[in-house]
Amino acid sequence: MKLKKTRIGLLHTTIRGDEKLLIEAAEKRAIDLTLIDVREQIFDPLAEKPQLDVVLERCISTVKGMHAVEFYESLGIPAVNPLAIARVCENKFMTSLALVRHHVPSPRFILAFNEEQSKKAVIELGGYPVVIKPVSGSWGRLVARINDEHALEAVLEQKETLGGPNHHAFYIQQYIEKPGRDIRVHVIGGRVVAAIYRASSHWVTNTARGAEAIACQIDTELEKIAKKAGDAIGEGVLGIDVFETNDGYVVNEVNHTMEFKNVVRVTGVDIAGLILDYCVSLARK
């Protein structure tokens, strides 16, 4: 008996190189992939139910992506990644709490809401330098290395004066001295599938900020910590950022709509195909 094609809705706000790889992989697998620009949709729960088996969220806009996923899940259509994962990953404080709760090694961190408590927190973290980040954000934007109290006062004043409500929550993290790189590990359906070094002379090592992608051999300890971090967040399609330290690997962040074209380019691993295979397996459960 011939199996019917799995119908996947690709939720997007634009088509980047990563989404083009997904489209190509769908064609090779004879998967029915419907492109859904969420900016052009009317999400009406009383309208005719979309004929989809699963949706794959690839929106650049976290707000648009999460609302779209919430809509499709309300109709009983599973999403990759589900809203439960998106809610944790889009908030660095929630991500860090999940890692601590599951005993995943990670940099020390605190959350504070005023300057006085932030200064006390720096002492608890071991002193300067520290890193201050927005609780929500990507691509290394608005991340600052704070070397002394004067810098901390200036950054907090800017956040309080110019930022929105999210910027008034001060997520402060222990600074980790990196060997000129970090590691991005891809975990799909609970399986560690690929990793790259992101090398840069700058302390921020995002490829979006110019870091060079280099293939990384996955050793036993790297696989173990990446899988443990994935288990802490939930099964799905995850990009896990790992630091190398003298005491071993530590997990910095977990991403739920990570870019992967550079991983494909330097490792040859078919990330797009593996993502679609996972979507198909989820639709058939």
Side-chain angles (χ1 to χ4, degrees):
M1 182 175 122
K2 187 177 179 181
L3 291 174
K4 70 173 184 176
K5 288 185 178 180
T6 301
R7 300 162 299 184
I8 299 177
L10 179 62
L11 309 178
H12 69 90
T13 47
T14 188
I15 298 296
R16 302 164 291 177
D18 309 87
E19 287 69 48
K20 290 177 181 177
L21 290 173
L22 287 165
I23 294 168
E24 293 171 5
E27 291 173 351
K28 291 177 182 177
R29 285 163 169 74
I31 289 172
D32 184 354
L33 188 70
T34 301
L35 303 184
I36 303 172
D37 187 338
V38 300
R39 299 169 299 180
E40 305 298 328
Q41 304 305 304
I42 297 174
F43 294 111
D44 179 0
L46 300 182
E48 184 178 353
K49 182 178 178 179
Q51 297 303 301
L52 298 169
D53 297 308
V54 63
V55 292
L56 174 59
E57 199 269 286
R58 293 292 308 171
C59 299
I60 292 178
S61 166
T62 299
V63 171
K64 292 182 177 68
M66 289 180 66
H67 279 85
V69 166
E70 189 159 19
F71 172 75
Y72 286 104
E73 286 188 341
S74 76
L75 301 179
I77 299 172
V80 176
N81 284 303
L83 189 63
I85 285 179
R87 280 177 172 156
V88 174
C89 289
E90 73 88 25
N91 185 298
K92 293 178 176 60
F93 183 56
M94 289 179 65
T95 300
S96 294
L97 289 175
L99 295 175
V100 169
R101 191 163 58 247
H102 288 82
H103 309 290
V104 179
S106 56
R108 282 204 64 194
F109 67 95
I110 61 90
L111 188 78
F113 294 105
N114 62 53
E115 183 180 302
E116 181 183 356
Q117 298 306 319
S118 296
K119 288 178 179 178
K120 290 179 181 178
V122 170
I123 297 172
E124 290 187 20
L125 293 177
Y128 298 97
V130 293
V131 176
I132 188 165
K133 303 177 179 182
V135 289
S136 298
S138 58
W139 297 331
R141 294 173 299 192
L142 300 179
V143 175
R145 172 176 162 167
I146 307 297
N147 292 324
D148 55 43
E149 189 170 290
H150 298 300
L152 180 66
E153 291 170 349
V155 169
L156 295 186
E157 182 180 14
Q158 283 196 330
K159 287 180 175 291
E160 288 185 318
T161 305
L162 302 176
N166 271 347
H167 294 100
H168 299 163
F170 307 137
Y171 174 92
I172 303 175
Q173 190 182 62
Q174 172 191 20
Y175 177 76
I176 301 294
E177 192 70 53
K178 296 181 286 186
R181 67 189 187 188
D182 72 355
I183 304 172
R184 163 64 62 85
V185 186
H186 287 258
V187 179
I188 299 176
R191 187 164 65 94
V192 178
V193 300
I196 59 169
Y197 292 115
R198 302 186 300 184
S200 175
S201 58
H202 195 277
W203 71 275
V204 178
T205 47
N206 297 68
T207 52
R209 296 277 294 268
E212 179 186 4
I214 303 168
C216 171
Q217 187 70 33
I218 301 170
D219 61 34
T220 303
E221 289 305 311
L222 181 59
E223 181 175 18
K224 181 179 177 181
I225 195 171
K227 190 175 187 313
K228 191 171 183 179
D231 291 344
I233 303 302
E235 184 182 296
V237 174
L238 304 171
I240 298 173
D241 296 343
V242 179
F243 292 160
E244 302 161 275
T245 76
N246 293 332
D247 297 320
Y249 295 117
V250 297
V251 173
N252 180 40
E253 295 179 4
V254 182
N255 305 272
H256 72 290
T257 52
M258 71 286 181
E259 297 178 13
F260 55 83
K261 59 183 180 295
N262 286 320
V263 181
V264 175
R265 176 175 57 81
V266 302
T267 69
V269 176
D270 182 12
I271 300 294
L274 293 173
I275 291 173
L276 292 179
D277 290 344
Y278 175 68
C279 290
V280 171
S281 70
L282 186 66
R284 291 177 178 172
K285 283 184 179 179

